[in-house]
Each structure stands twice: as C-alpha cells, then as structure tokens.
Amino acid sequence: MTTARTAARTTAPVTAPAAAEELPDVPSFAVIPGAQVHEALRGREAEIVAVVEETYRLHAAGASVNPPSSFLRFPDRRSSRIIALPASIGGEVDGVKWISSFPGNVRAGIPRASAVLILNDQATGYPFACLESSIISATRTAASAASAADRLSRGRPRPVRIGFVGAGLIARYIHTFLAGTGWSFEELGVHDLSAGSAAGFRTYLEQSGAAGRVTVHESAEELIRTSDLVVFATVAAEPHVTEPGWFAHHPVVLHVSLRDLAPEVLLASANIVDDVEHCQRAATSTQLTEERTGNRDFLTGTLDDVIAGRVRVPADRPAVFSPFGLGVLDLAVGKYVYEEVARSGELQVIDSFFHELRRHG
C-alpha cells in the first residue's frame, strides 16, 4: 500500500475517454477509511449542503441516472436488510452504495447501519475507490434535512423549538448540520422508545454546546405539540403517529425515516419529497397515502422545486419533507471526500489491486 505522495502514477480517476488511438489508463484503486472520511467532512456543513442542493438540481435536470434501490431481505432476519443504491452523475462519476440496516445492533451498543461506497471511473468502468460510507450516508441525509429545514421554513416564523423522535446517529448528524448552518434553538426535545438512547442523546446535546433547554419527553405527542421543527429518525416499519391534530400548530417536519406518519397526517400537510417515483415504494408513508387515495395529489413537489421557486410551500399547514435518499447524493459527497483526501496527499493506494490487465495474457 502506498499514499498519493509515493504512488508512481496519478491516483486521480480518468474523467474523459482517451483519444481513439490511445488505450485508456486503468485508474489506481484507493481505500478511504472512516477516519479520513470524517476528517474530510468535519466542519464543512455549509459546503456539503451546497453540494447536495447542486446534486438535486442536476438530478431534476436529467443529468443523473438513479435506478430504484435494490433491497436484500432475509426470511430468518425480517427486521434486517441490505440495500444497493447504484447511481451516476453525468460527466463526473458512477458508483454504488451498499448499506446494511440491522436494528439488533443497537442492543449491542453499535450503530444500526454500516456501509461502503464504490466509485467507478466513467472512461473504463474500473472502480477507483472504496470509501467507508456510513458517515457519507449520514452526512448526505443530514445535509438534505438541513436544506429542507431552511427552505421549508421560509414564509413562516423560523423554528426555535426542535424535537427529535428517535435518538440515534442520524439524529446526531442532523443536529450537527443544523448547528453548522446557523441554526440555534431555545428548546430541544427528545423522545425515544429506549430510555437509554434518549438519555444519551440528551447528554450529547448538552455537551455539544446547544444553548437551549433540553427536555426528554415521555410521548411523541408531547414532543410534537411543543416543537416547531420535528425530526423523525427512527427505525419504524409502519406508521405510529396517526393524529393530524398533533400538528395543528403547523410545524416543519423532517420525516427522514419515511414510515412514521399515517396517511391522515400527510393528507393534512404540504408534502415535499426528494424524488416522487423513489418515494412511492417500499411501504413508505407516501406510498401508503397513494394507495389510500388512489392518486398523488397530496404531493406538493420536490425539494428542488422549492429551491428553484417552482413550488411555494403554504404556511397554513404542516410542511413535511419525506426524502427516500438518492444514490446520487452519496456519489456527490463521496466524490467530494475522495478529492479532499487526494488533495491532502494521504490517499491510500492499493498497489496492483487489478491483476489481469491484458485481455490475452
């Protein structure tokens, strides 16, 4: 293994086809572990939000390929799954995220999700990097949520009371991104079915320097009714919040976990998604609502519609953001990490990773 400082050839992937008379170079292959991913992203919340918003723009303009995610499920482990998210950003990078969700991990004190991201060279198809991706996945989710919190809050009083339903790693990353993009709150609420998780998240919030009062709520209803900005970051497999009246004060809702809200709640709300077709599958709350009504009239638009001004979010009802999570976001953030690590000169290249490089030996 070498670093970029000692590699004999460039570690940058080929980004354009070689001339017809030339043979394309096979790119070097690098491994970027979690510590390097974390360092490349630390303190750059505003930059990553901008990357995510630009990727949404490219996706809406048709400059991406983002097939449906593929779910690997297990008959003997029904609560667990592994998901493949292949994607391509035209003119930039191809790749796939392979992410597992094993809720039983939480009982063992380790995160529910683990992941890797493979980046592929667009000229040769060869993979040129493997990145630890649970951090990338959490980062792009949090950046998307922070963007939605900002955009959906415009035209209504800016939230000063935030509540988290679900107190795991994703909730922590969302709070970090909100704080890193200028948000501060007078009150911070926490609700989790696990008293230990709620207490741990409360400790994190207090130690993070959050200026507001932190309260652990016994019920989701109590938290929702006292919050202007509500974050759902749970592992719920089906809706458990069924009362539209809990949202009568018209909060902004970041429905990151996708399956917490019953159709009755969505039908009383303005609903923003990241991609309509992607959100209407895998038993999400939006899919259940479509099945209930037989139409998609309850969907107000996409986050890019809001960013571009094509859609105005009404202030006289709750505003709910339900992002399925697009593979192109993982690619965009992963490419950002790769370039930052390469620029630092600390890229860890696996020498001779590709062995058979001649068709006929």
Side-chain angles (χ1 to χ4, degrees), residues 167-189:
L169 182 141
I170 296 299
R172 172 160 58 86
Y173 268 75
I174 290 174
H175 174 263
T176 297
F177 264 77
L178 290 171
T181 52
W183 288 81
S184 61
F185 301 96
E186 296 173 3
E187 298 181 22
L188 301 94

Side-chain angles (χ1 to χ4, degrees), residues 13-300:
V14 178
T15 57
E21 66 276 9
E22 297 177 354
L23 295 176
D25 288 333
V26 172
S28 300
F29 185 78
V31 173
I32 303 179
Q36 285 187 314
V37 174
H38 179 267
E39 185 60 27
L41 295 171
R42 184 168 59 90
R44 298 178 179 177
E45 290 83 9
E47 288 182 53
I48 302 304
V49 169
V51 167
V52 164
E53 290 190 346
E54 173 61 12
T55 305
Y56 277 139
R57 186 191 69 78
L58 291 171
H59 180 67
S64 69
V65 180
N66 203 111
S69 304
S70 179
F71 287 71
L72 176 62
R73 298 187 184 275
F74 314 98
D76 59 332
R77 292 161 284 160
R78 294 189 178 277
S79 67
S80 301
R81 65 182 187 265
I82 308 178
I83 312 173
L85 290 82
S88 173
I89 302 174
E92 295 189 25
V93 67
D94 308 327
V96 61
K97 180 175 73 172
W98 181 241
I99 182 167
S100 66
S101 174
F102 279 53
N105 288 353
V106 175
R107 292 193 299 273
I110 61 176
R112 168 186 59 85
S114 59
V116 294
L117 177 69
I118 301 294
L119 302 180
N120 291 76
D121 172 30
Q122 291 200 325
T124 65
Y126 274 77
F128 64 84
C130 176
L131 299 84
E132 195 285 332
S133 198
S134 65
I135 297 171
I136 289 172
S137 187
T139 293
R140 62 86 150 147
T141 300
S144 174
S147 172
D150 174 36
R151 301 291 181 165
L152 272 58
S153 295
R154 299 182 185 186
R156 65 180 71 204
R158 189 170 175 87
V160 294
R161 302 175 300 168
I162 188 171
F164 293 89
V165 182
L169 182 141
I170 296 299
R172 172 160 58 86
Y173 268 75
I174 290 174
H175 174 263
T176 297
F177 264 77
L178 290 171
T181 52
W183 288 81
S184 61
F185 301 96
E186 296 173 3
E187 298 181 22
L188 301 94
V190 181
H191 171 70
D192 196 288
L193 295 178
S194 165
S197 293
F201 191 57
R202 175 178 187 167
T203 299
Y204 156 74
L205 290 173
E206 291 172 341
Q207 293 179 347
S208 72
R213 181 181 62 182
V214 181
T215 303
V216 174
H217 294 272
E218 292 298 319
S219 69
E221 177 183 1
E222 182 180 80
L223 178 142
I224 292 165
R225 288 186 181 276
T226 57
S227 301
D228 310 314
L229 178 62
V230 182
V231 179
F232 284 94
T234 75
V235 294
E238 58 187 23
H240 57 96
V241 175
T242 61
E243 295 295 332
W246 295 2
F247 302 85
H249 55 301
H250 306 152
V252 172
V253 181
L254 305 178
H255 187 207
V256 174
S257 38
L258 290 171
R259 298 171 182 85
D260 301 87
L261 304 179
E264 292 82 358
V265 175
L266 295 191
L267 290 171
S269 305
N271 293 284
I272 303 298
V273 297
D274 53 359
D275 180 282
V276 173
E277 294 301 327
H278 283 262
C279 281
Q280 301 308 99
R281 60 194 304 268
T284 61
S285 294
T286 56
Q287 182 186 18
L288 297 180
T289 305
E290 180 180 2
E291 292 173 353
R292 170 82 62 87
T293 62
N295 61 64
R296 298 178 177 180
D297 295 346
F298 65 95
L299 294 177
T300 307

Side-chain angles (χ1 to χ4, degrees), residues 2-5 31 36 340-349:
T2 62
T3 68
R5 289 190 174 123
V31 173
Q36 285 187 314
E340 286 300 311
V341 176
R343 188 176 297 116
S344 74
E346 298 299 331
L347 199 64
Q348 300 180 50
V349 176

